[in-house]
Amino acid sequence: MMIGNGVCKMFSRPRTRKAAPSLPGTVRIVDEARAVVGQESLAIFHSGRGMMFKANRAGAQIWQALASRTPLDRVADEMSHRYAIPRERAEEDIAQFVSNLRSAGLVAEEA
């Protein structure tokens, strides 16, 4: 359907919202991971895989929390306040980042 100046408007069913991923349980940084944390970024080297990973300031904050064993729910509160985002969004971002770290072999579930 064309609306106004040729702008196409599509009609569809309302989106159903995906359930937010829950914050991961206790994870640990693997021995093969070496990180350099800057004020605005993070670089992680996985010595076993010979790969380098980079992240932004928020990723650096999450990494430091993992390194210091800070509970991730506290990090969600801090990130929500610092970046003026809803806490749910902070939880989603943390869960996704930790999932990416896990997939890269940089963190593992705590036994």
Side-chain angles (χ1 to χ4, degrees), residues 13-19:
R13 290 184 281 148
R15 285 185 171 182
T16 56
R17 185 167 187 153
K18 293 181 183 178

Side-chain angles (χ1 to χ4, degrees), residues 23-57:
L23 288 175
T26 306
V27 294
R28 65 174 177 78
I29 296 171
V30 300
D31 293 337
E32 295 88 0
R34 302 287 180 263
V36 176
V37 180
Q39 287 184 345
E40 299 293 322
S41 63
L42 166 70
I44 311 166
F45 179 70
H46 190 293
S47 63
R49 295 183 177 183
M51 297 181 75
M52 177 70 71
F53 302 87
K54 292 182 178 181
N56 61 14
R57 171 193 270 181

